[in-house]
Amino acid sequence: MTKKHVPADLIILDCTLRDGSYAIDYQFTAQDTYLISLGLAKAGVRYIEVGHGTGLGSAKAGKGDSAATDEEYLDAARAGVEGTGARIGMFFIPGIGTMRDLEMAAARKMDFIRIGTNVTEIDQARPFIERAKELGLFVSSNLMKSYAVPIDEFLKVVTRADRYGVDVVAVIDSAGGMMPADVREYVRRLREITQKPIGFHGHNNLHLAVANTLEAVSAGAVFVDSSLQGMGRSAGNAQTEILAVLFEKMGYRTGLDVYKTMDLGERVLKPMMSRSQGVDDISLVSGIAQFHSGFSRIIDDVSRKCRIDPRRLIIEVSEVDRIDVSYGRAERIALKISREAVHPAGASGLWSVGQGVLRRKVYKKPLEQVLAVAREMNSFSKKTGKPSVFSITLSSRKDRTVFPYIRQSPSLVIGNVEASGIRELGDILRALDGKIDWIVLDESIKALRTSGLERVVSKSRFTWYSEQRVLRLSVNVLLAQRHSRKRVLILADRDNVELMVRSLRQQGVTAAGLEGGTLAGVDWKKTGAVISFGLKHARALTPRLAAAISKETNIYAVCPGAYPAPFWDAVVRQGNFVCRVDARCALAAELALVIETHGATGNMGSGEISGVMVVAGGVIGPRGSVVVDSFKTPSRVIGIADGRGGLLTEKEGLPFREHAEKVSHELIRKLYRNDY
């Protein structure tokens, strides 16, 4: 693009704190708003939109509870941009927001308002546009779902908005389905009929948000929307950081500091995002069909009720109406699809997978399999962003090494191995070191006096866990849920018998324990469940014993491989419910506990920040000291210590408020590394 085509003033309006709130269920706090507004303003962003995703008055209108009120968002943003010249504003949908909401926002020194209406409903915006102008606000008419009417009709709507007195007219690709040529044509035709600045807001359902934004600017738009990390409703928005780089490369003047913008997205926004803004199949279909995700709940409910593919329903509903989707209309279309009993595109309801089977490679040596498991875990870890954790214990069988399969918990990618002996365990540690984030060893290995075994691990992080605690927790939860009204017999060593019986009785389970290796004298007819927890009873578990056990008795084993096969054959033949204890959930809980505790202890400490005493991680400080979230990397103030391990109330803490504010200011200054 030659220099003469470059506009004198191209404005990026960042809507992270408004549109981005959809992605976290409207849970930006006032503190988040302050921090991000401050960073955006210092990075050169001149227009910053804040508040609830659907705009002013949304929480009161039942559109979803937000972490702060409209007033708190405005006050926080105003404090963040103070002295920078940046403007703050909010979104407004007539029928959700009220005139009183608008007047409140203006009274709190809001600079601009963006009034959003469906493209066919511009007249609803007129009184709010006129009142906003009277209040001295800069007003944008955001014509939502601009694509839903022919372009000539769209231009007539713009003419009316122009007549009502708006300062900006914006093309809105609400479903993220417009093509670059569409955007170019809409903006080009707009320039022919209005002298007002033209805006563009796009979504990323087809991964065209950035391309469409560039096309809009090329055709004459000067107000373009974006968000940090692309955070926003549905598949997200054009990414502020990307646009900042692209526009600078193309010679446009935006006033944005590219590096500060990228730092803000990476350091401040990314840790707040529960998920990356990728494109799933529903978002993709919504973009193709130009289906607004605001109607997703209707599609979910109706497709589940009628047992049809929601993607098919989205496509057919959008062919009828892209403006307003009702339950009644969606159900009528769903019933039609059900009667036809045809799947999308006439395809079969099942994918044709052929006769081939992808077979796992068989590894003859345990160390080869260890490395294969580690590679697979790392693949999961990189895709999910979860740390990889490998737990190691000793097998009850000395003739082989056992590899349970890889699994994921909500926070971890987990692999584990039961090694056949200490020598092999050492080899496994050396093979895994540096290839897995965490290696954890069973505490029972300490009893074998393998001094220094943990020192083999130098590149991965290392800690201990308790396999016995995992097994006890698994048994405890299983029996409490399935046998709260039955008599349970625990077969185990003394320590486990005492712990399990006591724990189960506390939960209302009638439990008894047996420590020895003999089962003589047990009244099997009154025993609803048996849990075998150790090896001492292995010889006593015989086919003759199986015949004495009631068919209604459930049998669980922690280490089924340690017991004679004839016993299992007998109880299975006679119809008992026989089950090995599944410890996967308890293992995930145990590993999360030890790893997160390991991290928490690293956050413990006390010291000074800006001359003020601070404590963190549970350390009890003197009354009036400031409690922060982490000693090593503090990012926020938790409260004022009461000197006894608790926090002072707001009233009690008033004498120390200046200390807390001093620490908070220093944490913010460090967050931005003096760049701001």
Side-chain angles (χ1 to χ4, degrees), residues 605-609 612-616 619 625-628 630-631 634 663:
S606 62
E608 288 190 356
I609 294 178
V612 177
M613 176 71 171
V614 298
V615 293
V619 173
S625 55
V626 177
V627 182
V628 293
S630 168
F631 180 66
V663 172

Side-chain angles (χ1 to χ4, degrees), residues 11-190:
I11 295 173
I12 293 180
L13 185 151
D14 189 281
C15 56
T16 306
L17 286 164
R18 195 276 301 176
D19 206 326
S21 75
Y22 280 100
I24 54 173
D25 199 23
Y26 317 120
Q27 293 307 299
F28 280 127
T29 64
Q31 176 72 1
D32 296 333
T33 299
Y34 169 71
L35 284 171
I36 297 166
S37 296
L38 170 65
L40 288 168
K42 294 296 186 179
V45 177
R46 286 176 283 169
Y47 285 76
I48 302 168
E49 190 175 57
V50 305
H52 194 289
T54 54
L56 268 167
S58 291
K60 291 183 293 184
K63 297 299 181 181
D65 293 332
S66 52
T69 65
D70 292 334
E71 291 86 346
E72 290 169 338
Y73 283 133
L74 286 166
D75 291 347
R78 175 56 58 199
V81 304
E82 187 175 3
T84 65
R87 298 183 177 189
I88 63 167
M90 281 187 153
F91 197 65
F92 184 94
I93 298 178
I96 294 179
T98 66
M99 199 68 78
R100 183 173 295 179
D101 294 324
L102 185 62
E103 291 167 350
M104 176 279 295
R108 273 187 148 76
K109 301 180 181 179
M110 183 176 72
D111 299 299
F112 67 90
I113 188 77
R114 302 214 292 170
I115 299 177
T117 62
N118 287 326
V119 66
T120 54
E121 299 167 351
I122 183 59
D123 291 338
Q124 295 180 16
R126 181 174 185 173
F128 300 99
I129 293 171
E130 293 174 345
R131 181 57 178 148
K133 292 303 297 179
E134 291 173 359
L135 294 168
L137 297 173
F138 185 84
V139 182
S140 172
S141 174
N142 282 29
L143 299 170
M144 299 187 296
K145 307 163 195 167
S146 299
Y147 46 74
V149 296
I151 192 166
D152 289 334
E153 186 175 338
F154 174 77
L155 296 176
K156 292 177 183 177
V157 173
V158 171
T159 301
R160 296 213 298 278
D162 203 342
R163 191 166 62 245
Y164 299 155
V166 298
D167 298 292
V168 175
V169 177
V171 177
I172 310 299
D173 183 16
S174 306
M178 295 180 76
M179 300 296 287
D182 301 328
V183 174
R184 180 171 62 250
E185 185 67 3
Y186 272 67
V187 175
R188 184 186 68 79
R189 294 284 300 275
L190 270 182

Side-chain angles (χ1 to χ4, degrees), residues 173-404:
D173 183 16
S174 306
M178 295 180 76
M179 300 296 287
D182 301 328
V183 174
R184 180 171 62 250
E185 185 67 3
Y186 272 67
V187 175
R188 184 186 68 79
R189 294 284 300 275
L190 270 182
R191 287 188 65 194
E192 296 174 354
I193 66 163
T194 181
Q195 297 300 311
K196 300 291 175 63
I198 298 168
F200 177 73
H201 176 100
H203 280 270
N204 207 31
N205 295 66
L206 300 181
H207 274 198
L208 290 173
V210 169
N212 283 343
T213 301
L214 298 181
E215 200 65 55
V217 169
S218 177
V222 293
F223 269 87
V224 293
D225 290 16
S226 64
S227 61
L228 295 166
Q229 296 288 308
M231 191 178 189
R233 178 179 57 76
S234 188
N237 307 308
Q239 194 167 338
T240 301
E241 303 94 312
I242 294 175
L243 289 184
V245 172
L246 289 175
F247 285 141
E248 177 173 288
K249 184 175 182 179
M250 297 166 69
Y252 286 89
R253 296 195 299 273
T254 64
L256 269 65
D257 184 309
V258 168
Y259 294 101
K260 288 181 180 179
T261 304
M262 289 191 290
D263 288 346
L264 182 62
E266 187 67 26
R267 283 193 254 149
V268 181
L269 243 292
K270 198 170 184 178
M272 295 183 185
M273 298 177 70
S274 58
R275 63 182 178 88
S276 61
Q277 293 278 233
V279 180
D280 58 28
D281 58 346
I282 296 297
S283 295
L284 180 59
V285 170
S286 296
I288 293 171
Q290 296 187 325
F291 170 80
H292 194 282
S293 63
F295 303 119
S296 293
R297 178 165 294 181
I298 295 175
I299 296 297
D300 291 343
D301 291 347
V302 173
S303 62
R304 192 179 303 113
K305 176 182 176 182
C306 298
R307 301 179 68 182
I308 63 169
D309 190 329
R311 296 166 295 188
R312 173 83 184 274
L313 184 57
I314 287 172
I315 290 171
E316 298 216 7
V317 163
S318 297
E319 287 177 354
V320 176
D321 192 342
R322 302 179 217 173
I323 291 289
D324 185 24
V325 178
S326 66
Y327 272 98
R329 175 171 289 154
E331 285 182 348
R332 287 193 295 273
I333 294 172
L335 290 172
K336 169 179 165 289
I337 294 172
S338 296
R339 286 194 299 269
E340 293 173 355
V342 177
H343 295 275
S348 166
L350 295 174
W351 288 101
S352 174
V353 296
Q355 300 300 313
V357 177
L358 182 62
R359 300 184 185 277
R360 280 185 175 273
K361 183 176 180 180
V362 177
Y363 296 94
K364 295 181 179 179
K365 297 181 180 179
L367 286 186
E368 292 179 351
Q369 190 162 353
V370 165
L371 294 175
V373 171
R375 285 194 297 271
E376 192 172 352
M377 289 176 65
N378 276 320
S379 175
F380 279 122
S381 181
K382 286 182 170 61
K383 291 172 186 173
T384 62
K386 300 174 185 177
S388 55
V389 184
F390 206 105
S391 67
I392 307 174
T393 188
L394 291 176
S395 175
S396 59
R397 297 186 59 169
K398 305 303 180 184
D399 60 336
R400 68 173 181 173
T401 300
V402 181
F403 291 87

Side-chain angles (χ1 to χ4, degrees), residues 601-653:
T601 56
N603 289 325
M604 297 172 65
S606 62
E608 288 190 356
I609 294 178
S610 293
V612 177
M613 176 71 171
V614 298
V615 293
V619 173
I620 298 176
R623 182 182 177 87
S625 55
V626 177
V627 182
V628 293
D629 57 343
S630 168
F631 180 66
K632 288 185 177 180
T633 57
S635 63
R636 61 188 291 259
V637 170
I638 303 297
I640 307 296
D642 64 2
R644 295 171 296 171
L647 298 175
L648 296 175
T649 65
E650 186 174 351
K651 184 177 180 180
E652 292 170 336

